[in-house]
Amino acid sequence: MEDKDIINLSKSIFGACLALGTICLLGGVFKLEPFVAAGYMLLIIATPVNLFLILAFLIHGLVNRSSLKTCIKAIGILSINIPIAILYAVIGICLISDGHW
């Protein structure tokens, strides 16, 4: 896998998870229950997918030392999703628990 492909894959996964999470959060803000359920399913599905990709990039970088710097960049891009997902989850839990439903 070329360095450009590694970065593009990580950016694509990051963007897809961010977009889907934002859509689910906005649906939850507007009290649309299917979006809330989809948001929690996204957390359940996206977490292992992102962790698998991080592990795959790490292994690829260790096996192909010339790609290690690029793989670390890709891992950094994917890791940006972690605090965003935590923030979205906290907002969603607060909306549900505060009786906004």
Side-chain angles (χ1 to χ4, degrees):
M1 190 177 248
E2 290 184 27
D3 291 348
K4 178 180 74 172
D5 295 333
I6 293 169
I7 296 295
N8 286 339
L9 178 61
S10 67
K11 284 181 181 179
S12 298
I13 297 297
F14 167 78
C17 289
L18 181 67
L20 290 173
T22 303
I23 290 168
C24 291
L25 178 66
L26 289 175
V29 168
F30 293 116
K31 300 177 178 125
L32 301 171
E33 290 182 31
F35 284 94
V36 174
Y40 286 113
M41 288 302 297
L42 179 64
L43 279 173
I44 292 169
I45 293 169
T47 299
V49 168
N50 278 298
L51 289 175
F52 172 76
L53 283 171
I54 287 171
L55 182 63
F57 287 144
L58 186 60
I59 291 171
H60 179 75
L62 292 174
V63 170
N64 300 321
R65 291 287 182 166
S66 61
S67 297
L68 182 60
K69 189 173 182 179
T70 302
C71 289
I72 297 297
K73 263 188 198 176
I75 290 170
I77 292 169
L78 286 174
S79 296
I80 296 170
N81 272 331
I82 295 169
I84 295 170
I86 292 169
L87 177 67
Y88 282 13
V90 168
I91 292 170
I93 290 169
C94 288
L95 287 175
I96 292 171
S97 66
D98 284 344
H100 291 281
W101 288 87

